[in-house]
Amino acid sequence: MSITSFNPPVRTLMGPGPSDVHPRVTGAMARPCIGHLDPAFVGMMDEVKTMLQYAFQTKNQLTIPVSAPGSAGMEAAFQNLLEHGDKAIVCQNGVFGGRMKEVVERCGATAIMVEDDWGKPVDPQKVEDAFKANPGVKLLAFVHAETSTGARSDAEALSAIAHHHDALVLVDAVTSLGGSELRVDDWNIDAIYSGSQKCLSCTPGLSPVSFSERAIEVITSRKSRVQSWFLDTNLVMGYWGPNAKRAYHHTAPVNALYALHESLVMLQDEGLENSWARHSKNHMVLRAGLEAMGLSFIVDEDYRLPQLNSVTIPDGIDEAEVRSRLLNEFNLEIGAGLGALAGKVWRIGLMGHSSRAENIFLCLSSLEAVLNEMGANIETGVALSAAKAAMK
Ligand SMILES: *Cc1c(COP(=O)(O)O)cnc(C)c1O
């Protein structure tokens, strides 16, 4: 055997996630591992909870990171709230609504689907109609920022509809947290989950979640046990909970939590609203360059996400070859289209630490060089100056 240490290439990550990890975060991760019941560690956990409440804009006590990626946060939200025989309305306008359906059905519940085209937001009227047609729905679930398309849905309006029909509201905020306006308490969201690797500039592997008082009442008065032992919040709270004796539940991913702590300190120092504004501003800069080149956005401006840009591919261009040349020649990763958009768009992420000027200039200049070399019908020599002008 002659396998040696793994040294990954240094890439610029401008896909749908993971995004660039800030060096302060990787630095925090390299600090010494301590016991997960060490009082010093427990103190840090409390700070993580407080900073997550800030990031989510909530006073919810049950606001913690699940020790696994965003999909586990999704499972935690549905599995704790749904029981066998329950009905849930699930909105699908991209990949992740489809994943929600899978999870709902595995809980033994029925998923009533409300579908919208890929690239469009969830239509509140369709949700209202679904509630009218289906009495007794327990919860409404939707994706706030659909990473597979770049469309943002109106979480506040959808939440109001659900509460009007006495249902709980469950939101996927994996790509929105830290990147676009999100107000859990003001918008009356009952259960929400996110991920560490999108707009928080952190490494993958943790899923911040938050549950309202109303959601906790539903969880504590369940007739059946939560089918997952690991994700059962009643048990997890023995370790993470307020006033809990901090009993062993599972070994927390100690160094990963140092990383999340550091990324949340950075978010707090920048200011949440400043972070939202930075994501919007940089989107406008990238957009100016791409449009000058002749590429266009597939999502309407009114509900376009700043952190995930779905753009068209010039006629006759092999989109996969462009991505592999960007990766091999420029160490730049951008995303491919998924599902209904496969082969039709690139997804350029401007999330967290990736949302900064030098990344935009690298993306525009390398994309222009590759497309030009491949004979694409684009405007050359104008993207960088258009982007620079948009920075003012
Ligand atoms: C990335 C993502 C997920 C899944 O998160 P993982 O960390 O990959 O499990 C779920 N929902 C949305 C909207 C996402 O962008």
Side-chain angles (χ1 to χ4, degrees), residues 237-251:
M237 285 309 273
Y239 179 51
W240 274 98
N243 318 316
K245 286 211 273 326
R246 305 297 183 136
Y248 167 69
H249 175 259
H250 65 279
T251 306

Side-chain angles (χ1 to χ4, degrees), residues 7-240:
N7 284 296
V10 179
R11 310 281 202 207
T12 300
L13 301 178
M14 296 183 74
S19 50
D20 283 347
V21 177
H22 196 283
R24 273 178 60 178
V25 172
T26 39
M29 227 171 171
R31 289 174 195 151
C33 188
I34 60 176
H36 70 114
L37 295 171
D38 187 313
F41 188 69
V42 169
M44 190 214 66
M45 289 167 71
D46 286 335
E47 292 180 349
V48 167
K49 288 196 292 183
T50 303
M51 292 189 289
L52 281 179
Q53 287 175 327
Y54 170 67
F56 277 124
Q57 293 287 285
T58 183
K59 295 198 173 65
N60 290 342
Q61 288 284 343
L62 180 42
T63 302
I64 58 167
V66 171
S67 302
S71 303
M74 183 189 288
E75 295 251 7
F78 283 108
Q79 289 203 22
N80 280 278
L81 291 173
L82 290 179
E83 295 192 65
H84 209 88
D86 285 341
K87 287 191 277 186
I89 294 179
V90 175
C91 304
Q92 181 170 14
N93 60 339
V95 165
F96 294 102
R99 189 173 297 181
M100 284 178 159
K101 175 176 190 276
E102 288 284 317
V103 175
V104 167
E105 290 173 352
R106 282 163 195 244
C107 294
T110 304
I112 298 158
M113 300 305 290
V114 168
E115 294 182 29
D116 281 288
D117 289 343
W118 289 50
K120 294 274 188 281
V122 174
D123 181 349
Q125 187 59 50
K126 289 187 188 168
V127 172
E128 176 69 41
D129 294 346
F131 271 110
K132 286 199 178 122
N134 297 280
V137 164
K138 187 176 194 179
L139 69 80
L140 168 70
F142 61 88
V143 179
H144 184 214
E146 196 22 282
T147 325
S148 61
T149 67
R152 174 181 46 77
S153 289
D154 187 341
E156 188 175 15
L158 294 171
S159 172
I161 294 169
H163 287 301
H164 182 72
H165 292 277
D166 279 330
L168 296 164
V169 175
L170 191 165
V171 178
D172 177 318
V174 175
T175 283
S176 47
L177 186 69
S180 9
E181 185 179 14
L182 172 62
R183 301 181 187 277
V184 168
D185 286 359
D186 289 352
W187 297 352
N188 263 310
I189 293 167
D190 295 298
I192 192 161
Y193 59 89
S194 188
S196 46
Q197 78 276 27
K198 309 248 168 138
C199 293
L200 295 179
S201 316
C202 187
T203 45
L206 291 172
S207 178
V209 298
S210 184
F211 291 89
S212 71
E213 288 300 324
R214 203 181 306 120
I216 293 171
E217 273 166 35
V218 169
I219 296 170
T220 49
S221 56
R222 287 175 63 99
K223 291 193 227 56
S224 57
R225 286 190 301 185
V226 175
Q227 83 180 20
S228 163
W229 176 88
F230 183 67
L231 297 172
D232 183 342
T233 51
N234 294 303
L235 304 177
V236 173
M237 285 309 273
Y239 179 51
W240 274 98

